[in-house]
Amino acid sequence: MSDPFDTAGRRDAVLAAWGSSATRFREDANAEEDLVLGGYADRLLVELAQNASDAAVRAGQSGKLRLTLENRTLSAANTGAPLDAAGVDSLTSLRASGKRDEQRSTGRFGVGFAATLAVSDQPEIRSTAGGLRFSLADTDKAVRELGGEPARELDRRDGRAPVLRLAWPVDDAPIAGFDTEIRLPLRDDEAVAAVERTLRDFDPSLLLALPGLSTVDVDGRVIERSEVDEQTVALTDNGTTTRWRCVVATGDLPVELLKGRPVEERLRQAWQVTAAIPVGDGPLPLARPQLLYAPTPTDERIGVPIRLIGTFPTSPDRRRVPDTAVTRHLVEQAAEAITDLVSGCSGDPAVLALLPGAELPLSTVDSLLRDELDRQLRAAVWLPDTHGQWLPPARAVAVDAPLVSIAAEVLDGVLPAGWWTSATAPALRSLGVRKLGVAEVVDALAGADGEPSWWHELYDAIDAVLRDDPRTELDSVAALRVPLADGRTVTGARDTLLPSDDLPAGLVGALGLRVVHPEAAHPLLLRLGARDASPASVLADDRVRAAVEHSYDSDDPAPVAEAVLALVAATDLEPGELPWLAELALPDADGDWRPAGELLLPGAPLAWLIGADVPFGTADRQLVEDYGADVLAAVGTLATFAVIDHADLDLTEVDELALDGVSEWADEVVDALGEEPVRLLRFTAVRDLELVRDDAWPQALRLLAAGAARAAISAGCTAELRDGSIVPVQPYLRWWFARRPLLGGHRPADLRLSDAAELVGLYDEVPQLPADDGPPSLFDVDEAVAGVLDDEFLAALGCRTGLLDVLEDPESAVDLLGRLADPARSVHPAVLPLLYARLAEALSGVEVDPPDHVRVAPDAVAAADRVVVLDEPWHPLEGRHPILGGADPETVAELLDVTLASEL
């Protein structure tokens, strides 16, 4: 058998060394075992592919590798430079690579072949230049024949000899078409299963790290590598092609970086870095994390989802990358390559997925790479704006996708839509890209001057942002500008009106309304405070109220009058519902202008009741014909009495209502309460009562007994005190009516209802009022339907309903005391015994002038000095008239200024 590599001589030399030093044998055995059981245990196919690639590079040709598993034997056949003496030295020396002078080779340490021992005890190399084999059994035999301490050490190791130190020649040639074949008879079923799994999971992208290989046949699965262009490599796996964009950088290491490194490492100054990513229509990021390739896979994980391949220094097992000056230099080059790769793909926002994630660094190398990549990406010009320009991250700004096109018109450096997402935001933010919120975009648009349709587009975009992000506050866009129909542009949508087909024409100029331009109108404005411009909402606008209040002083009140009357005509507004409308200037019958509240409808019942000498005019008849009595009544023109109804009214404000005697009423309220209330919770009144003619009160009362006037007269009045308590107070209208001779010349307070039997003799019954003797048209107007003067209405006017009603307030009680002293009156016999005690209780604490006479019988009175109050059992009083004092006779005696019986 031929032995071109003198394997016999090599064996003899090794055995001689072992024989002379058992320690040497032990050292070799331990070193090989470390590689098999540790560093190279799972790298079989990687090492076989790497050797094939290096062989092709040495031969200067495109390499091919075929991997087949047949008859429990793995065959790895490759083209390229065949086995030579230097290769044999490397294979049989453990740590003396035959490639140290090959600057671009992948293998560097001369230990990769040890990976074969993970599955085989009999690795064999067949080459066109000769072959050799290794054998655990033959090595075991040779050591035992050597005898001595090596043989005993072998026993201690359970027969695990260093297989790759002894080689035997092989005459068999590699399979046809290949220059080298490695044959691995697999050790056992476990090894077979491991190889089957490894073949099945072979990663085609490994060829990116092995540029010498163009084709790999993995048990019939053909993987091909081809160069599409300078930066694109195509990997075809069984007919399916994946294109990889690759950025390759090469150079020589500065000598000073290699100081302190191993000798053979210092001889290899050339470096190379490749950053690669699969691409389709855009970049296709790999899964995170990725392994760093140096140039075959290491155990160093990196957080960028790309394939990073480089001639990084590694530990002897090629699993770890130490933190050295060389490593840091290559990390800089790798970051530059990745930056170039990102820049080359930056027309597509998918490139942002190539940036490091937000997780903590996965390794020392990953930390170095992240820092360097951050520095370089910040400085690089690689982000696009919406105008096709390129800019560094510091000059880029992002806005929410719906706002991109609008913001780009007024801002520089706006990223296109799709670049800022929840997934990309952390990476872009870490690089210095600014994200502008909706409020900042709105501020930037403060000086914008677009067409109304442009503003509508902006509102639509903002509305989309608010829908997508409910956390965004509406207040943040409160300063949004709004174009109006009259050509103005205002800040803020509050109090603007969205145009409506129901809105009468010609209102904008007359009323100074802020109506949004029809082409800019958008539902978003409603959420920001705008209102739909319905007639009712327009009437609620402060500008309409201001126009009404100033209409009388206007040079030409007509436009405002016509606009407001048109609005009211389009609503169902009730008279008095908007009291301020009474200030609207309208033409009267003489052609002059007056506030609507100072005008009477032609033929109005109120006109007959108040006579001619009053501050009212008559509305122009043409105005009534044009708009109708209902519309004029709704703006305050009078047919009947006008009603005032206020909630939460300050007592000091009642003077402004111009009501007859209201200040006096307010003073009496304060006196009765003992303090001024915080506010009146409800205040109602009827205007112009003092203008009614004395002889017209029967007809006036019939008008007041109907509709809103009746409700106002019947309403109570409550006040809130400083301590928060709510107390009733005498209503203004009851106070006013009770003091005026409205009922047959009598005050309501002097009259009783027919069923108030306990007051018979003390108060006159309400007289029968005369039938209506006004003009026939008096009650023909719908707004002035006559009411009925029933007991409920009469009681609201102040007519007495019973003793409790009289004793309700001190003034009425004092009046009752005077009536008791009147000899012309009488008292119900059942009431008199209790009356003085009840009066004393009602007037407790009130200063009262005692009467000259005191009622001592239902139909008789006596001089006060002849009256005594019984405070003891009855006994003869010698000409005195006794009265009962109830439970507190002393108080009764004090009220009447009379003597107690016990004092006599």
Side-chain angles (χ1 to χ4, degrees), residues 638-659:
L638 300 175
T640 183
F641 293 98
V643 173
I644 296 173
D645 192 346
H646 283 284
D648 292 334
L649 182 67
D650 192 301
L651 188 64
T652 61
E653 296 176 353
V654 296
D655 287 344
E656 301 174 11
L657 301 177
L659 295 170

Side-chain angles (χ1 to χ4, degrees), residues 241-466:
T241 299
T242 301
R243 292 184 300 117
W244 288 72
R245 184 177 181 85
C246 303
V247 174
V248 180
T250 60
D252 291 323
L253 293 170
V255 175
E256 61 271 14
L257 297 181
L258 294 168
K259 292 179 180 179
R261 299 303 298 161
V263 172
E264 292 195 6
E265 185 179 326
R266 295 202 301 269
L267 297 176
R268 297 166 62 95
Q269 291 181 257
W271 62 265
Q272 177 173 308
V273 169
T274 300
I277 189 72
V279 292
D281 294 334
L284 304 172
L286 301 174
R288 299 176 194 265
Q290 284 291 303
L291 295 178
L292 176 66
Y293 281 59
T296 51
T298 68
D299 287 345
E300 301 285 2
R301 299 188 302 162
I302 58 175
V304 286
I306 65 170
R307 180 58 44 81
L308 181 59
I309 306 163
T311 52
F312 293 92
T314 62
S315 58
D317 60 4
R318 284 195 274 182
R319 289 186 177 276
R320 313 306 306 187
V321 176
D323 184 4
T324 69
V326 173
T327 300
R328 291 175 178 262
H329 179 78
L330 290 179
V331 164
E332 292 182 14
Q333 311 308 318
E336 185 173 343
I338 294 173
T339 299
D340 289 346
L341 180 65
V342 168
S343 299
C345 299
S346 58
D348 190 328
V351 71
L352 297 175
L354 302 181
L355 304 184
E359 69 276 2
L360 294 174
L362 305 172
S363 64
T364 300
V365 172
D366 188 37
S367 179
L368 294 172
L369 181 61
R370 286 169 183 259
D371 290 345
E372 184 60 28
L373 191 55
D374 179 79
R375 185 184 69 80
Q376 295 201 28
L377 285 173
R378 282 175 176 269
V381 178
W382 61 280
L383 285 174
D385 69 6
T386 53
H387 301 297
Q389 303 297 316
W390 300 94
L391 58 156
R395 289 179 49 206
V397 294
V399 298
D400 292 295
L403 292 170
V404 167
S405 61
I406 295 288
E409 297 183 25
V410 295
L411 296 173
D412 294 329
V414 177
L415 291 175
W419 280 79
W420 185 282
T421 66
S422 59
T424 63
L428 286 174
R429 193 178 284 114
S430 70
L431 292 173
V433 176
R434 292 180 300 132
K435 169 64 162 59
L436 300 183
V438 177
E440 293 170 292
V441 174
V442 169
D443 288 344
L445 294 171
D449 187 22
E451 295 295 323
S453 58
W454 181 87
W455 287 100
H456 184 279
E457 183 181 349
L458 171 63
Y459 304 151
D460 209 42
I462 293 176
D463 194 39
V465 173
L466 296 177

